[in-house]
Amino acid sequence: AKMNKALLGQMIKMWQTDMQTPESVLLASVVGSPTGGEEHDTQFKRRVAELFDQIDADGSQSLDVDELVDAFKTLGMAQVTGESINALLVKYGYEENEEINLNSFEEIVRGLAQTSFQFTGYEAVEDLTLQQLQVLCKHEWAVEKKADGEGGLALNKSATANVIRAPSAVNRRTSSAALGMDENYVQGFKLPDMEDMDAMKKFV
């Protein structure tokens, strides 16, 4: 059991290394957690709306790239550029230089902030939530096939040095089918039922 917990802890750290960015950590500190029940969600939406109003310098009810760059720099991210903001927009399914409204801004902030609150790093396999299991199962790891050739993820010995950067989730404008991908597989392994917690625990 201790070994399983240690391996899970390693997986979580690798996931956090892959998924967290300075921007996501910073935003999480400003707006808080987007998860944790209705009260948390209400507080999160209020903080995001307040941040949106602060960034919306011209009162247009939309944010452009320049406003987002200025906002991140004001928050302490001096290295943020128009290119990095455009990359973020594209990651979440928007066009480069596209102006975003409050709903779109909330979608992006929620996705970024969630990476900081998805795991504590002290979870046990049996305590993982449905969402946590889904995140771990769908993530792309440095893997090797099990000796018996069956499905399942097995971190290889050099996994920490060879983590494959996970692509962003398929965005709202591009389907897996259009990309020639089978969303039921990850790195050649057939995913379990994403609603079956026992199956996902075995897969992880």
Side-chain angles (χ1 to χ4, degrees):
K2 287 184 178 179
M3 178 62 72
N4 286 340
K5 190 168 184 178
L7 288 173
L8 177 61
Q10 183 186 19
M11 288 179 71
I12 289 172
K13 286 181 180 178
M14 290 170 64
W15 181 88
Q16 290 171 329
T17 298
D18 265 4
M19 301 302 293
Q20 287 182 345
T21 64
E23 292 87 353
S24 68
V25 173
L26 179 63
L27 281 173
S29 70
V30 173
V31 299
S33 173
T35 58
E38 186 176 345
E39 184 177 351
H40 274 272
D41 193 59
T42 299
Q43 292 177 349
F44 174 80
K45 288 182 176 181
R46 176 177 54 78
R47 289 170 180 160
V48 170
E50 290 173 351
L51 181 59
F52 181 91
D53 288 339
Q54 291 173 16
I55 299 173
D56 184 20
D58 59 6
S60 64
Q61 298 302 305
S62 64
L63 304 179
D64 60 30
V65 170
D66 289 338
E67 287 176 318
L68 290 168
V69 169
D70 289 344
F72 274 111
K73 287 185 174 180
T74 299
L75 290 170
M77 296 294 299
Q79 70 271 33
V80 170
T81 65
E83 288 184 1
S84 61
I85 292 297
N86 273 321
L88 184 63
L89 291 174
V90 170
K91 176 180 178 180
Y92 281 89
Y94 298 92
E95 301 292 337
E96 289 189 1
N97 297 311
E98 181 175 348
E99 294 190 6
I100 56 174
N101 60 21
L102 174 58
N103 289 336
S104 299
F105 182 66
E106 183 185 314
E107 175 194 0
I108 294 172
V109 173
R110 183 180 294 274
L112 289 171
Q114 198 158 15
T115 62
S116 292
F117 296 97
Q118 190 70 254
F119 299 100
T120 65
Y122 299 98
E123 288 84 0
V125 173
E126 60 270 19
D127 298 327
L128 292 173
T129 66
L130 178 65
Q131 185 181 49
Q132 288 172 328
L133 284 164
Q134 290 172 340
V135 164
L136 290 178
C137 285
K138 291 180 179 180
H139 191 65
E140 293 201 2
W141 308 93
V143 301
E144 59 185 7
K145 278 187 176 291
K146 292 181 177 178
D148 57 11
E150 293 183 358
L153 297 183
L155 296 180
N156 62 39
K157 292 180 180 179
S158 58
T160 54
N162 297 297
V163 176
I164 300 173
R165 287 290 171 186
S168 62
V170 176
N171 67 49
R172 59 191 170 88
R173 295 180 181 172
T174 310
S175 68
S176 294
L179 293 173
M181 298 163 53
D182 187 337
E183 61 184 13
N184 295 316
Y185 284 79
V186 59
Q187 291 175 256
F189 294 99
K190 183 173 176 56
L191 289 170
D193 181 349
M194 289 291 103
E195 299 298 324
D196 186 335
M197 294 185 69
D198 288 336
M200 284 191 287
K201 286 176 182 177
K202 290 178 182 178
F203 186 74
V204 171

